[in-house]
Amino acid sequence: QVQLVESGGGLVQAGGSLRLACTASGSFFRINAMGWYHQAPGKVRELVAQITSVGSTNYADSVKGRFTISRDNAKNTVYLQMDSLKPEDTAVYYCNADVQNWSYNTYNYWGQGTQVTVSS
């Protein structure tokens, strides 16, 4: 069984920074794409940023230039550095990963979510 555990959320003032981390645990062959999504109250869950196993990245237009996604494959961990935070970034942030098991089947997993609140 694969688990994704997030950390690093919290309360910050507008213009501040936070760094989220998500570590995958369990037994698996490898992790393919990893990403971060967010969901604000009453809204759908949306992609924030994604990174492939070789480091190619993709960002939502709303966070380009402010957020940076990275990963440490040796630690099975993905990070999201969030700078110049805005009140509209307030949401629950979820980690997501495509994990390939030892039978080479790929399954998609979600973390439990971590709250990010940006005050004005």
Side-chain angles (χ1 to χ4, degrees), residues 101-117:
N101 64 15
W102 296 104
S103 298
Y104 307 118
N105 297 314
T106 300
Y107 297 92
N108 188 258
Y109 293 90
W110 291 95
Q112 81 284 359
T114 185
Q115 177 70 45
V116 171
T117 302

Side-chain angles (χ1 to χ4, degrees), residues 4 22 33-37 50 78 94-98 108-111:
L4 302 179
C22 170
M34 302 184 81
W36 291 94
Y37 289 71
Q50 192 174 49
V78 62
Y94 296 91
C95 176
N96 181 269
D98 287 330
N108 188 258
Y109 293 90
W110 291 95

Side-chain angles (χ1 to χ4, degrees), residues 30-56:
R30 70 177 180 187
I31 304 174
N32 296 324
M34 302 184 81
W36 291 94
Y37 289 71
H38 68 193
Q39 186 168 20
K43 295 189 176 181
V44 299
R45 192 173 298 186
E46 298 177 326
L47 175 69
V48 176
Q50 192 174 49
I51 185 168
T52 69
S53 58
V54 295
S56 296

Side-chain angles (χ1 to χ4, degrees), residues 22-87:
C22 170
T23 299
S25 63
S27 180
F28 47 83
F29 175 60
R30 70 177 180 187
I31 304 174
N32 296 324
M34 302 184 81
W36 291 94
Y37 289 71
H38 68 193
Q39 186 168 20
K43 295 189 176 181
V44 299
R45 192 173 298 186
E46 298 177 326
L47 175 69
V48 176
Q50 192 174 49
I51 185 168
T52 69
S53 58
V54 295
S56 296
T57 57
N58 179 43
Y59 295 92
D61 287 343
S62 60
V63 306
K64 284 181 180 177
R66 300 189 298 121
F67 291 10
T68 303
I69 190 170
S70 61
R71 64 190 284 172
D72 185 332
N73 290 332
K75 295 181 179 180
N76 297 320
T77 298
V78 62
Y79 304 96
L80 186 68
Q81 178 66 41
M82 303 186 293
D83 298 319
S84 302
L85 282 159
K86 303 176 181 179

